[in-house]
């Protein structure tokens, strides 16, 4: 490794990349190279078509050896893309990788400007700033930090379940945290899945059971992540476990307590069935719930409300002693190296489109409610009967409710066309009802989806291209609750008013209302819609801007089950990659105190968010613990005596950068 | 697009020095690039890890070396990659803003903006807006002013020296 000798002359190599025509079409790269060649300390100055290519990197390495270069500056794309590439290349040729500086003339210059002369001037200024800065660079060493092998997965829907199983099957310890009392997510509510029409629960429940019994998975349902501290490889997470008043270790899931409850009949709104059914205060969310442990709702349980219940449930449980009315909320602290966020979505609240009468007319349902109605374990045991007890004879399915709509959500929710077709098919199958689908565009991308659409459209359902304007009660009808659906058939150019018994609203997918809170917890970014932002839309679709935190499933954007599962697998692989490597390399951009200049004023100490700074009592000098320092540089900017230095961002380096930026350029 | 300046060819065009935090605003500027948004070429960006690293001296130094405006970009409140560096930046910014005003530098020449990694569009609008404002304000010209003051000082020193030597001559006589 090259260690510079004192007073050794600085010898800089400058390289400017054409990036094909990406840079060269807007920046006169030859002119920039010529200009930089005249600057002090520059020994070679070249331009090349693709600096990041092997020949480009070899050119740098050859120059380092032949021209005894000890500094390298490359003007190309964003440092986010290729800084590491060139650092490695310089290191291979024997000089410290931190003697390299990158100049961003693509994203910050060529791609955003339209005037070639001005863009060239800017490239010259940016290059000069780096040329003036780089002689001040010091040799630094990359810190290696061990990666904790345990993984936290947040969200127990199909994405979280799949990721947990992939990791646990390979022997990794997984903590799966789920907010609801059971895992399964939305998929557990579906009846059949498109395009194969296989039963959702039949494919899901074996995976749920595998999670429940897996020795490598710690499953914490009815729990939420309360706090996340630390950084990639070493996250300290606090999980809040809400009391379910039934001890998970002791409950066998026999449900005798449910049978024995003083409420003889289920009386309260059943959340799992979206209020279409009733439940008792003590209940199992649904028959296949994992863990198969009942829970008590403190809002409706007489004992928990007033302490004056006969507690027949306790009697029924008997020796198992699984019911504990005194159970308290618990906080558990865990250490993990990587985190997968798979918090899913919520369905669009159709009350936000009042013209469809959801919540006003009892025969207007959203699609998820219909999934429950036709599901054999649903509130009607799979018989499609409406709230008035009748079986519908004619049903309208309205697509794009809360999707592709300026007034609500602008995005396409991707799954609605297909699930609408599926529901239309299933309703027809169960009731022989006549179905009318109202769609804007029929979107059926993906493997087997177009074939599915063709097959179902041949079954004879009516497809009307047009957005429904209004749903209102049929004035000629007395009591049955019949509705008129008014829409324009845009292919026939006529207004339709179709009387139907039941309306199904194909509601879109949207981010959870607390996605902003979740994103802050994990230090992630959101798109303006509220979906979690991936690091790169194409090349890093499951990574986030925070190292060691990955995304899976619909929390990143609407997707169907196969895509959620694929993404979950990808996120698990990203975790593997970090765990199996065993360590991560940290930028050495930490700060340190120059002791002889420190006055011991202590003003830096409260500024550090990581409590990395302390006062050496004996010397009365500040001290920065390098292991805790994250390299933000806030203390550096605040030090009154200028005695704190940040590696890679030293004051002198920034000052020379400013000087270089503002120096006059020749064109 | 409208605000993109015409080729200057010798005529004055403002220079804007920007300090962008690595995690939000620098990434947003990368996004603006990837999305091929177009904005004024007067901006020269320095990448720092956090807006909390922006030392007030950097701002003064930029003005003194010829910047007509300084823009600081950080993460939105509550979004800082380092928890609260952006608040520290805001605190210092409020102080430096008053100081800069006392130095006679117009308020619009110094700006702090919270721009998240998803807001490439905001980079474009903020830069264009600021460059338009700087154009309306005209050059700040601190280096020129410094040069004038230096020349004046030299002149005064010279005058003082000559009068001193004249006095000593008188004393001798």
């Amino acid at each position: 490794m090259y260690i510079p000798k004192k007073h050794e002359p600085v010898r800089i190599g400058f390289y400017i990349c054409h990036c094909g025509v990406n840079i060269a079409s807007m920046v006169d790269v030859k002119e920039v190279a010529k200009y930089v060649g005249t600057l002090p300390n520059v020994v070679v100055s070249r331009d090349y078509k693709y600096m990041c290519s092997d020949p480009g990197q070899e050119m740098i390495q050859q120059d380092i050896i032949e021209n005894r270069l000890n500094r390298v500056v490359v003007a190309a794309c964003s440092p986010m893309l290729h800084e590491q590439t060139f650092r490695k290349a310089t290191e291979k040729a024997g000089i410290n990788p931190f003697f390299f500086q990158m100049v961003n003339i693509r994203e910050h210059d060529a791609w955003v400007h339209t005037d070639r002369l001005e863009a060239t001037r800017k490239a010259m200024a940016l290059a000069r700033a780096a040329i003036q800065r780089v002689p001040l660079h010091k040799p630094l060493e990359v810190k290696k930090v061990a990666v904790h092998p345990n993984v936290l997965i947040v969200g127990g829907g199909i994405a979280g379940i799949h990721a947990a199983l992939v990791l646990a099957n390979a022997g990794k310890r997984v903590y799966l945290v789920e907010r609801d009392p059971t895992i399964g997510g939305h998929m557990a509510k579906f009846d059949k899945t498109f395009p194969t029409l296989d039963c959702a629960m039949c494919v899901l429940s074996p995976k749920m059971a595998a999670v429940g019994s897996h020795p490598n998975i710690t499953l914490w349902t009815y729990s939420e992540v309360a706090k996340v501290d630390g950084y990639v490889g070493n996250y300290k997470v606090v999980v809040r476990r809400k009391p379910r008043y039934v001890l998970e270790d002791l409950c066998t899931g026999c449900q005798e307590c449910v049978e024995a409850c003083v409420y003889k009949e289920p009386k309260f709104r059943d959340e799992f069935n979206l209020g279409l059914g009733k439940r008792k205060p003590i209940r199992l969310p649904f028959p296949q719930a994992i863990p198969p442990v009942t829970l008590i709702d403190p809002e409706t349980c007489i004992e928990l409300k007033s302490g004056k219940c006969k507690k027949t449930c306790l009697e029924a449980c008997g020796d198992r002693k699984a019911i504990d009315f005194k159970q308290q909320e618990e906080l558990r602290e865990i250490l993990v190296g990587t985190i997968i966020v798979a918090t899913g979505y919520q369905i669009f609240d159709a009350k936000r489109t009042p013209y469809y009468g959801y919540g006003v007319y009892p025969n207007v349902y959203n699609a998820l409610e219909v999934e429950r109605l036709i599901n054999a374990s649903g509130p009607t045991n799979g018989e499609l009967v409406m709230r008035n007890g009748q079986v519908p004879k004619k049903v309208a399915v309205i697509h794009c409710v809360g999707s592709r709509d300026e007034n609500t959500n602008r995005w396409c929710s991707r799954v609605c066309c297909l699930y609408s077709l599926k529901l239309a098919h299933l309703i027809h199958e169960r009731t022989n009802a006549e179905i009318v689908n109202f769609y804007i565009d029929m979107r059926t991308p993906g493997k087997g989806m177009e074939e599915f659409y063709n097959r179902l459209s041949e079954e004879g359902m009516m497809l009307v291209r047009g957005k429904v304007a209004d749903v209102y009660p049929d004035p000629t009808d007395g009591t049955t609750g019949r509705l008129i659906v008014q829409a324009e058939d845009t292919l026939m150019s006529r207004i339709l008013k179709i009387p139907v018994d039941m309306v199904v609203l194909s509601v879109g997918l949207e981010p959870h209302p607390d996605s902003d809170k979740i994103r802050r917890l994990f230090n992630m970014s959101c798109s303006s819609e509220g979906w979690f932002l991936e690091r790169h839309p194409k090349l890093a679709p499951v990574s986030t801007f925070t190292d060691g935190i990955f995304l899976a499933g619909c929390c990143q954007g609407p997707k169907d089950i196969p895509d959620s599962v694929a993404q979950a697998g990808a996120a698990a692989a990203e975790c593997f990659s970090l765990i199996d490597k065993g360590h991560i390399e940290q930028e050495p951009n930490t700060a340190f105190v120059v002791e002889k200049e420190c006055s011991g004023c202590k003003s830096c100490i409260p500024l550090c968010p990581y409590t990395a700074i302390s006062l050496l009592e004996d010397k009365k000098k500040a001290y920065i613990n390098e292991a805790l320092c994250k390299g933000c540089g806030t203390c550096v900017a605040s030090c009154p005596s200028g005695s704190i230095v940040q590696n890679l961002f030293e004051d002198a380096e920034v000052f020379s950068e400013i000087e270089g930026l503002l120096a006059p350029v020749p064109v | 697009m409208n605000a993109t300046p015409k080729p200057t060819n010798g005529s004055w065009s403002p220079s804007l020095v920007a300090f962008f935090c690595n995690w939000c605003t620098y990434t947003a500027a990368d996004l603006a690039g990837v999305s091929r948004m177009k904005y004024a070429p007067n901006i020269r960006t320095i990448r720092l890890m956090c807006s909390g690293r922006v030392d007030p001296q950097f701002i003064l130094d930029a003005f003194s070396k010829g910047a007509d405006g300084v823009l600081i970009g950080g993460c939105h409140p509550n979004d800082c990659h380092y928890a609260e560096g952006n608040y520290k930046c805001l605190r210092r910014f409020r102080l430096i803003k008053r100081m800069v005003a006392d130095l006679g530098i117009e308020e619009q020449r110094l700006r702090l903006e919270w721009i998240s990694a998803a807001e490439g569009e905001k980079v474009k609008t903020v830069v264009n807006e600021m460059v338009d404002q700087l154009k309306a304000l005209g050059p700040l010209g601190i280096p020129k002013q410094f040069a004038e003051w230096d020349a004046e000082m030299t002149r005064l020193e010279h005058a003082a020296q000559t009068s001193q030597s004249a006095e000593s001559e008188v004393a001798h006589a």
Side-chain angles (χ1 to χ4, degrees):
Chain A
M1 173 73 58
Y2 163 79
I3 295 155
K5 292 177 198 80
K6 231 180 182 180
H7 309 303
E8 190 187 17
V10 169
R11 297 174 65 83
I12 307 174
F14 175 76
Y15 304 87
I16 183 164
C17 180
H18 297 217
C19 194
V21 291
N22 279 307
I23 293 171
S25 64
M26 194 41 70
V27 173
D28 189 339
V29 286
K30 299 255 182 234
E31 204 56 40
V32 177
K34 209 168 96 191
Y35 162 68
V36 174
T38 65
L39 296 176
N41 300 323
V42 178
V43 179
V44 284
S45 179
R46 302 185 199 277
D47 62 281
Y48 188 66
K49 206 155 176 94
Y50 290 105
M51 279 314 299
C52 61
S53 67
D54 282 348
Q57 294 181 49
E58 277 158 20
M59 181 163 79
I60 299 174
Q61 290 163 337
Q62 206 173 344
D63 277 348
I64 290 173
I65 295 159
E66 283 174 10
N67 293 299
R68 287 175 292 113
L69 300 179
N70 51 25
R71 301 288 191 283
V72 174
V73 174
V74 174
C77 51
S78 170
M80 307 275 183
L81 279 167
H82 277 307
E83 190 171 48
Q84 293 305 334
T85 314
F86 293 116
R87 276 184 182 168
K88 282 196 185 110
T90 50
E91 192 177 19
K92 261 193 195 158
I95 67 171
N96 187 282
F98 298 97
F99 284 146
F100 163 77
Q101 177 74 16
M102 185 124 194
V103 185
N104 184 347
I105 56 162
R106 195 178 72 173
E107 283 84 346
H108 282 206
D109 189 1
W111 277 353
V112 287
H113 303 319
T114 47
D115 177 343
R116 192 170 153 88
L117 180 67
E118 282 298 329
T120 305
R121 292 165 63 102
K122 180 171 176 179
M124 286 177 173
L126 293 171
R128 180 168 187 144
I131 296 293
Q132 297 209 182
R133 168 194 229 275
V134 83
L136 301 167
H137 281 207
K138 308 227 162 43
L140 298 168
E141 251 180 65
V142 171
K143 277 191 300 180
K144 283 188 178 173
V145 181
V147 173
H148 199 286
N150 294 359
V151 185
L152 167 70
I153 297 175
V154 189
I158 181 60
I161 288 172
H162 183 73
L165 287 173
V166 169
L167 287 158
N169 286 340
K172 309 295 174 207
R173 171 135 292 278
V174 176
Y175 295 93
L176 180 59
V177 174
E178 165 59 46
R179 171 149 60 181
D180 284 337
T182 168
I183 57 170
H186 277 100
M187 192 179 168
K189 295 191 168 95
F190 300 159
D191 182 48
K192 300 274 188 322
T193 57
F194 61 78
T196 46
L197 292 180
D198 49 350
C199 145
M201 199 40 107
C202 308
V203 289
L204 179 64
S205 65
K207 292 188 86 130
M208 288 170 64
V211 166
S213 61
H214 207 294
N216 289 336
I217 299 178
T218 305
L219 175 60
W220 285 339
T221 54
Y222 213 40
S223 305
E224 280 175 34
V225 174
K227 204 170 158 220
V228 181
D229 277 326
Y231 49 94
V232 52
N234 296 276
Y235 285 107
K236 202 200 277 177
V237 182
V238 178
V239 178
R240 183 188 298 116
R241 305 212 61 201
K242 293 175 275 187
R244 60 196 302 154
Y245 305 104
V246 177
L247 302 176
E248 269 177 53
D249 299 340
L250 302 177
C251 176
T252 59
C254 67
Q255 300 183 61
E256 280 172 31
C257 51
V258 181
E259 199 62 41
C261 180
V262 290
Y263 285 104
K264 288 283 164 265
E265 288 302 316
K267 205 181 150 194
F268 305 101
R269 188 181 187 275
D270 180 1
E271 294 85 358
F272 185 78
N273 284 320
L274 307 146
L276 295 169
K278 301 277 185 225
R279 61 154 173 83
K280 294 181 180 181
I282 189 162
R283 84 282 187 187
L284 193 66
F286 58 92
Q288 303 92 331
I290 296 288
V293 174
T294 53
L295 78 159
I296 305 174
D297 171 23
E299 301 289 312
T300 49
C301 170
I302 299 174
E303 177 63 18
L304 285 169
K305 272 199 308 189
S306 64
K308 287 179 191 152
C309 184
K310 282 192 283 182
K311 289 181 271 193
T312 43
C313 54
L314 212 60
E315 256 169 57
C317 194
D319 288 343
R320 282 164 291 205
K321 295 201 173 100
I323 297 175
D324 176 9
F325 288 110
K326 292 197 179 64
Q327 198 184 25
Q328 295 289 317
E329 182 181 288
E330 264 183 87
L331 292 178
R332 296 280 187 88
E333 198 180 285
I334 52 170
L335 264 178
V336 295
T338 46
I339 299 174
I340 297 175
V341 178
T343 49
Y345 64 94
Q346 70 170 13
I347 57 165
F348 172 79
D349 178 5
K351 284 187 185 137
R352 282 171 60 200
T353 50
Y355 30 90
Y356 294 149
Y358 180 80
V360 179
Y361 310 125
N363 295 347
V364 180
Y365 291 83
N366 72 36
L368 198 56
E369 289 169 338
V370 178
E371 295 274 2
R372 292 315 298 153
L373 285 179
I374 56 178
N375 191 304
S377 69
T380 54
N381 297 321
E383 266 183 70
L384 184 62
V385 284
M386 298 185 296
R387 289 187 176 94
N388 59 11
Q390 287 177 355
V391 176
K393 291 188 190 71
K394 192 161 183 176
V395 180
V397 181
I398 303 177
H399 293 219
C400 293
V401 178
S403 300
R404 308 180 68 200
D405 181 359
E406 290 281 329
N407 301 315
T408 55
N409 296 330
R410 298 163 77 111
W411 57 86
C412 168
S413 296
R414 246 192 78 181
V415 292
C416 326
C417 280
L418 289 153
Y419 82 54
S420 302
L421 292 170
K422 173 194 80 179
L423 287 177
H425 167 84
L426 293 173
I427 295 169
H428 178 73
E429 190 182 72
R430 305 282 160 89
T431 60
N432 216 14
E434 197 184 330
I435 318 279
V436 192
N437 268 286
F438 294 91
Y439 66 97
I440 307 178
D441 294 294
M442 191 60 76
R443 296 190 163 179
T444 58
K447 191 176 172 184
M449 303 298 185
E450 183 70 11
E451 295 88 324
F452 176 67
Y453 161 55
N454 284 332
R455 199 181 105 206
L456 296 202
S457 55
E458 278 163 19
E459 281 178 4
M461 68 177 75
M462 195 174 155
L463 293 160
V464 177
R465 185 177 180 277
K467 200 170 156 82
V468 172
D470 204 2
V471 174
Y472 54 91
D474 185 350
T476 62
D477 175 73
T479 50
T480 60
R482 202 147 58 144
L483 299 161
I484 305 276
V485 174
Q486 186 177 322
E488 184 192 347
D489 185 337
T490 54
L491 296 179
M492 305 290 282
S493 283
R494 61 175 184 193
I495 302 293
L496 297 178
K497 289 181 182 173
I498 299 179
V500 295
D501 301 311
M502 181 185 190
V503 172
V504 180
L505 303 178
S506 296
V507 287
L509 277 49
E510 62 182 21
H512 280 295
D514 60 350
S515 64
D516 206 51
K517 208 182 98 199
I518 301 168
R519 138 189 113 81
R520 295 225 154 98
L521 207 54
F522 295 99
N523 201 354
M524 300 186 293
S525 301
C526 270
S527 66
S528 52
E529 297 90 16
W531 304 110
F532 299 142
L533 204 62
E534 64 281 2
R535 194 175 201 130
H536 191 283
K538 293 177 188 70
L539 302 177
V542 299
S543 304
T544 66
F545 284 98
T546 309
D547 288 334
I549 297 185
F550 304 101
L551 300 171
C554 286
C555 62
Q556 182 255 352
K559 49 181 72 67
D560 59 13
I561 295 166
D563 283 6
S564 292
V565 171
Q567 218 186 16
E574 294 280 356
C575 293
F576 274 130
S577 161
L578 283 170
I579 297 167
D580 284 2
K581 192 178 178 196
H583 67 266
I584 44 130
E585 284 164 4
Q586 268 190 339
E587 279 274 294
N589 55 13
T590 48
F592 61 92
V593 178
V594 180
E595 263 191 22
K596 71 175 196 298
E597 280 164 27
C598 174
S599 66
C601 74
K602 296 190 266 190
S603 58
C604 54
I605 293 173
L607 286 179
C608 181
Y610 309 103
T611 60
I613 316 178
S614 54
L615 189 76
L616 297 173
E617 289 296 340
D618 48 340
K619 295 186 194 158
K620 298 275 176 249
K621 305 278 184 191
Y623 166 75
I624 297 175
N625 180 343
E626 206 199 4
L628 295 177
C629 176
K630 301 280 171 297
C632 65
T634 298
C635 57
V636 190
S638 79
C639 179
S641 59
S643 59
I644 309 182
V645 178
Q646 185 186 10
N647 286 326
L648 288 174
F649 296 94
E650 292 185 21
D651 279 353
E653 290 169 354
V654 180
F655 284 134
S656 54
E657 218 175 331
I658 297 171
E659 195 182 309
L661 284 183
L662 292 166
V665 290
V667 290
Chain B
M1 278 293 288
N2 306 339
T4 313
K6 303 238 150 43
T8 44
N9 295 329
S11 67
W12 175 80
S13 170
S15 57
L16 172 61
V17 171
F19 298 97
F20 284 172
C21 87
N22 182 57
W23 305 100
C24 290
T25 316
Y26 195 89
T27 312
D30 274 1
L31 175 66
V34 174
S35 319
R36 307 298 200 277
M37 293 168 182
K38 302 296 176 201
Y39 56 81
N42 308 59
I43 179 173
R44 310 277 185 264
T45 306
I46 292 178
R47 180 168 72 116
L48 297 171
M49 293 315 284
C50 178
S51 57
R53 176 67 184 95
V54 180
D55 191 319
Q57 293 184 79
F58 295 168
I59 299 164
L60 297 176
D61 193 64
F63 282 132
S64 79
K65 282 175 183 152
D68 298 295
V70 173
L71 170 65
I72 305 164
C75 308
H76 282 270
N78 251 329
D79 280 359
C80 179
H81 188 80
Y82 302 102
E84 47 198 37
N86 52 357
Y87 291 121
K88 313 280 164 56
C89 176
L90 178 64
R91 262 149 56 172
R92 283 178 210 131
F93 178 78
R94 293 245 166 97
L95 285 173
I96 189 85
K97 188 118 191 171
R98 276 157 67 181
M99 186 178 165
V100 160
D102 288 346
L103 290 171
I105 297 172
E106 294 89 343
E107 191 183 22
Q108 297 99 302
R109 292 191 188 272
L110 176 58
R111 184 159 169 182
L112 170 65
E113 281 292 340
W114 308 135
I115 304 176
S116 85
E119 293 175 322
E121 185 75 29
K122 192 168 175 188
V123 172
K124 177 186 133 182
T125 44
V126 166
V127 170
N128 280 342
E129 218 175 272
M130 200 163 168
V131 168
D132 281 346
Q133 282 172 345
L134 293 177
K135 275 187 192 159
L137 287 170
L140 179 60
I142 289 190
K144 203 175 137 211
Q145 208 169 5
F146 277 176
E148 277 168 20
W149 287 342
D150 283 347
E152 200 178 335
M153 284 302 286
T154 330
R155 216 169 43 243
L156 288 171
E157 269 170 27
H158 184 71
Q161 264 170 18
T162 42
S163 72
Q164 226 173 29
S165 56
E167 268 169 40
S168 59
E169 269 169 38
V170 170
H172 277 289

